[in-house]
């Protein structure tokens, strides 16, 4: 068996998706989830880009054991210094240097000639090599680079010490057959290519990121760069769950290849990333969308009942999806609750379990049937690492057809309680304005989405929103059987991120 190295860049390229900004504790939480999932490399950020990113990469490097922790750097010494200063806390640090090699990037973006690019590429790899053994080099926009020049750069950086050679389809322009030829031509024309692992990094602008990555694997790429739920710049990156499940499901084509991913952790990790980034997963998203395993047409349902494989190529449980699974109710005890959580992949500390169980009991008083998704929502809320500055104590709203909506919200911060009163265009707007009065953070609501977590009139409502404070956008999420409360919690979540 040969291993396909799964390089996860959710925390770097994924976080570059507009509006996906994650704070340090959220990044750490996702990184711990990725380590648990079994990824081989975590690209934790771009340390020189901001102090926040630098601190987050340091935190991941210090706390996350198992995977290689990688930091991105341009071919500039100060970037490489910052990347190393951040990843050096890991037992397995990697520096990832990138420099564009396509004519279009060299001319317009970098304004540098080929010779200068070649010199910088080599110098930067040599400089990074002084810090650590594990160096990845990416000729950015490789798929639109002139072949001869690309081969020259690749050969030179491998001679300079690059151990992984990543070929990015930076703008998602490549087509599978063409991308496959690119990998083959690099193998044929770069004499020392055997000294480095070939990696690919595909973007999804034409919806071909996964197809291109798989073609590359067929041609000998042994590292695939991807993100959870395919999030990333513009249309995103190749999605980790699709790559992993394609390799696994089509063993007939990808014989003798495997990944170290624990497949039954996929669904949980996907939810975690969705919740912390605020990026809702499309229902029809392959592998992790809510419809991915749902059979609606009568003929399909009948087929699946007779023989699952008629319409199902993956067992939902294999990726950790157990459907609605009615499991617990008002009379369920702590033991049953904990056992169910364990089977869903959550192993809580005693303190976390106490909090989650209390919340479960409160929910069970309001809601007769509690489904797995309800449980996951409770736990995901209760085991957050972030300590919020502002907490909701209570609220009251008055609204109706002939009255002006008014809200009174009471919040707590550092043991003091504060009350805000406001009217608004609706009860939610009135609550948000009341919160603004207390916190002084004037948020501009950009996006608001309300979804029922499970079915039934008593279902938990989950609100995902995006708010602009000054010039930064923060996502927020909150859940409750009361949709006004869910909205307040979501808004407070974004205020707390801003406050951090
Ligand atoms: O898309 C890209 O080219 C990148 C590089 C930094 C690898 O993200
Ligand atoms: Zn990228």
């Amino acid at each position: 068996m040969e291993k396909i190295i799964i390089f996860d860049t959710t925390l770097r390229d994924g976080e570059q998706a507009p509006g996906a900004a994650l704070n340090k504790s959220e990044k750490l939480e996702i990184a711990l989830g990725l380590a648990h999932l079994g990824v081989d490399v975590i690209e934790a950020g771009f340390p020189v880009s901001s102090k926040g990113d630098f601190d987050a990469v340091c935190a991941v490097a210090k706390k996350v054991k198992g995977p290689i922790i990688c930091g991105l750097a341009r071919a500039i010494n100060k970037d490489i210094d910052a990347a190393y200063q951040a990843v050096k806390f890991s037992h397995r640090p990697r520096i990832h240097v990138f420099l564009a090699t396509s004519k279009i990037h060299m001319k317009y973006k970098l304004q540098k000639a080929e010779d200068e690019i070649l010199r910088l590429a080599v110098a930067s790899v040599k400089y990074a090599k002084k810090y650590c053994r594990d160096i990845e080099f990416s000729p950015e926009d490789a798929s639109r680079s002139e072949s001869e020049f690309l081969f020259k750069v690749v050969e030179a950086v491998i001679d300079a010490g690059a151990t992984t050679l990543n070929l990015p389809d930076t703008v998602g322009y490549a087509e599978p057959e063409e991308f496959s030829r690119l990998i083959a031509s690099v193998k044929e024309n770069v004499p020392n290519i055997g000294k480095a692992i070939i990696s690919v990094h595909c973007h999804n602008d034409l919806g071909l990121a996964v197809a291109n990555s798989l073609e590359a694997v067929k041609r000998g790429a042994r590292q695939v760069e991807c993100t959870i739920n395919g999030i990333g710049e513009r249309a995103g990156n190749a999605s980790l769950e699709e790559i992993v499940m394609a390799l696994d499901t089509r063993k007939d084509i990808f014989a003798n290849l495997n990944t170290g991913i624990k497949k039954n952790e996929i669904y949980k990790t996907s939810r975690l990333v969705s919740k912390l980034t605020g990026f809702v997963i499309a229902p029809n998203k392959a592998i992790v969308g809510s419809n991915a395993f749902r059979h609606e047409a009568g003929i399909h349902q009948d087929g699946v009942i007779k023989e699952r494989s008629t319409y199902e190529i993956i067992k939902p449980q294999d990726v950790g999806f157990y459907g609605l699974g009615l499991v617990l109710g008002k009379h369920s005890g702590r033991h049953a609750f904990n056992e169910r959580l364990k089977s869903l992949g959550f192993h809580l500390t005693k303190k976390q379990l106490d909090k989650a169980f209390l919340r479960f009991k409160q929910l069970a008083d309001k809601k007769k049937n509690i489904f797995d998704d309800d449980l996951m929502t409770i736990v995901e809320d209760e085991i957050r690492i972030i300590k919020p500055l502002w907490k909701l104590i209570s609220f009251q709203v008055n609204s109706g057809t002939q009255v002006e909506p008014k809200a009174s919200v009471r919040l707590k911060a550092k043991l003091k309680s504060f009350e805000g009163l406001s009217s608004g265009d609706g009860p939610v707007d009135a609550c948000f304005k009341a919160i603004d009065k207390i916190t002084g953070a004037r948020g501009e609501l950009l996006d608001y989405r309300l979804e029922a977590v499970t079915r039934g009139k008593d279902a938990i409502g989950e609100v995902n929103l995006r708010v602009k404070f000054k010039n930064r956008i923060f996502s927020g999420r909150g859940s409750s059987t009361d949709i006004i409360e869910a909205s307040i919690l979501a808004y407070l979540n974004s205020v707390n991120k801003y406050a951090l």
Side-chain angles (χ1 to χ4, degrees):
M1 277 281 177
E2 255 193 277
K3 176 135 188 221
I4 299 297
I5 299 166
I6 297 294
F7 175 115
D8 182 280
T9 182
T10 305
L11 297 178
R12 201 277 298 169
D13 224 340
E15 210 230 1
Q16 277 172 230
L22 296 163
N23 61 39
K24 183 166 103 181
S25 34
E26 290 169 328
K27 278 194 153 198
L28 183 57
E29 192 172 346
I30 291 179
L32 290 166
L34 292 171
H36 204 66
L37 177 67
V39 307
D40 301 288
V41 187
I42 295 176
E43 186 163 55
F46 188 6
V48 82
S49 67
S50 70
K51 174 156 179 346
D53 218 31
F54 180 85
D55 290 346
V57 180
C58 289
V60 171
K62 281 179 191 163
K63 300 241 165 81
V64 179
K65 306 282 173 252
I68 292 170
I69 307 299
C70 173
L72 183 69
R74 288 168 298 180
I76 299 176
N77 289 359
K78 79 166 172 28
D79 282 36
I80 297 170
D81 294 338
Y84 182 68
Q85 290 311 320
V87 296
K88 71 177 181 194
F89 300 103
S90 166
H91 297 297
R92 305 175 69 198
R94 173 181 293 186
I95 300 174
H96 176 187
V97 181
F98 73 101
L99 181 63
T101 49
S102 67
K103 278 218 150 83
I104 192 159
H105 276 230
M106 291 190 294
K107 179 169 174 197
Y108 295 106
K109 188 180 82 173
L110 301 171
Q111 285 148 3
K112 291 194 187 334
E114 285 189 351
D115 285 356
E116 178 65 354
I117 294 289
L118 183 63
R119 189 190 67 74
L120 282 173
V122 170
S124 59
V125 169
K126 284 191 174 155
Y127 186 75
K129 197 77 187 177
K130 282 196 222 146
Y131 284 130
C132 70
R133 275 186 298 132
D134 189 347
I135 305 295
E136 172 166 334
F137 182 83
S138 290
E140 193 191 7
D141 208 14
S143 54
R144 293 194 301 171
S145 301
E146 302 275 311
S147 305
E148 289 310 316
F149 181 57
L150 181 67
F151 301 151
K152 222 182 192 175
V153 172
V154 169
E155 184 178 353
V157 292
I158 294 175
D159 273 344
T163 42
T164 297
L165 188 276
N166 182 42
L167 295 167
D169 181 25
T170 302
V171 289
Y173 181 72
E175 176 279 334
E177 212 178 296
E178 176 190 45
F179 199 59
S180 159
R181 278 201 304 271
L182 173 72
I183 312 300
S185 69
V186 168
K187 283 183 82 172
E188 269 159 37
N189 293 287
V190 177
N192 58 359
I193 192 70
K195 291 190 187 157
I197 288 173
I198 301 180
S199 165
V200 286
H201 174 112
C202 299
H203 277 271
N204 209 24
D205 299 65
L206 294 174
L208 293 170
V210 170
N212 285 335
S213 308
L214 294 175
E215 282 307 309
V217 166
K218 286 186 203 160
R219 288 294 190 156
R222 288 296 173 261
Q223 173 175 289
V224 177
E225 304 200 351
C226 43
T227 59
I228 301 289
N229 301 334
I231 64 167
E233 277 277 358
R234 308 180 307 278
N237 290 57
S239 122
L240 180 147
E241 58 279 5
E242 293 174 26
I243 302 271
V244 169
M245 291 316 291
L247 292 174
D248 189 76
T249 309
R250 298 308 307 271
K251 282 238 177 301
D252 52 334
I253 294 172
F254 300 101
N256 297 324
L257 296 177
N258 67 4
T259 69
I261 297 296
K262 289 187 207 128
K263 286 176 286 153
N264 60 4
E265 289 284 323
I266 285 179
Y267 185 63
K268 196 176 108 191
T269 318
S270 154
R271 282 179 61 110
L272 176 69
V273 170
S274 164
K275 282 171 196 280
L276 294 187
T277 56
F279 280 22
V280 177
I281 302 166
N284 62 331
K285 165 81 180 63
I287 317 295
V288 290
S290 56
N291 286 351
F293 301 106
R294 208 174 260 175
H295 306 280
E296 205 64 32
I299 297 174
H300 289 209
Q301 289 176 345
D302 182 54
V304 171
I305 290 167
K306 287 180 177 143
E307 167 53 44
R308 189 191 62 79
S309 59
T310 48
Y311 288 101
E312 234 175 56
I313 59 165
I314 297 168
K315 283 199 214 118
Q317 302 88 303
D318 286 355
V319 294
F321 177 76
Y322 297 95
L324 282 175
L326 167 59
V327 279
L328 300 175
K330 199 173 174 159
H331 302 292
S332 306
R334 193 186 159 90
H335 182 71
F337 176 71
N338 196 20
E339 285 307 303
R340 189 64 201 166
L341 291 182
K342 280 192 202 154
S343 73
L344 293 171
F346 292 97
H347 298 271
L348 306 193
T349 62
K350 186 177 170 308
K351 205 166 153 204
Q352 289 169 336
L353 183 65
D354 288 346
K355 281 165 79 185
F357 188 63
L358 183 68
R359 176 101 191 264
F360 161 72
K361 282 290 177 188
Q362 287 163 350
L363 179 65
D365 278 340
K366 294 185 197 158
K367 188 175 188 304
K368 199 165 138 227
N369 299 328
I370 302 207
F371 300 100
D372 281 342
D373 270 12
D374 293 322
L375 289 184
M376 290 172 99
T377 304
I378 292 175
V379 173
E380 285 156 356
D381 281 352
E382 294 306 331
I383 61 176
R384 287 282 88 85
I385 296 172
I386 313 165
K387 298 254 179 306
L389 172 66
W390 297 101
K391 278 190 174 169
L392 175 67
I393 302 176
S394 62
F395 72 94
Q396 209 173 358
V397 287
N398 187 18
S399 125
T401 42
Q402 302 297 328
V403 286
E404 187 191 16
K406 286 207 171 75
S408 143
V409 178
R410 189 170 279 281
L411 302 181
K412 189 167 82 178
K414 294 185 183 146
L415 303 174
K416 278 195 197 143
S417 109
F418 303 83
E419 190 181 17
L421 301 170
S422 180
S423 53
D425 289 340
V428 171
D429 184 48
C431 289
F432 290 179
K433 284 189 172 132
I435 293 174
D436 282 354
K437 282 192 178 163
I438 302 173
T439 61
R442 303 254 170 274
E444 183 193 341
L445 188 63
L446 302 179
D447 192 17
Y448 172 97
R449 250 170 286 171
L450 168 66
E451 265 186 308
V453 171
T454 48
R455 63 185 164 208
K457 287 186 185 140
D458 58 358
I460 291 184
E462 181 173 287
V463 170
N464 277 283
L465 44 72
R466 230 170 268 275
V467 190
K468 193 166 170 187
F469 295 101
K470 299 233 170 93
N471 281 328
R472 290 193 64 192
I473 298 170
F474 294 86
S475 62
R477 191 184 60 84
S479 57
S480 167
T481 46
D482 179 323
I483 57 172
I484 306 284
E485 185 176 1
S487 307
I488 293 177
L489 293 173
Y491 191 70
L492 273 185
N493 184 225
S494 65
V495 171
N496 279 321
K497 288 182 186 177
Y498 171 60
L500 259 176

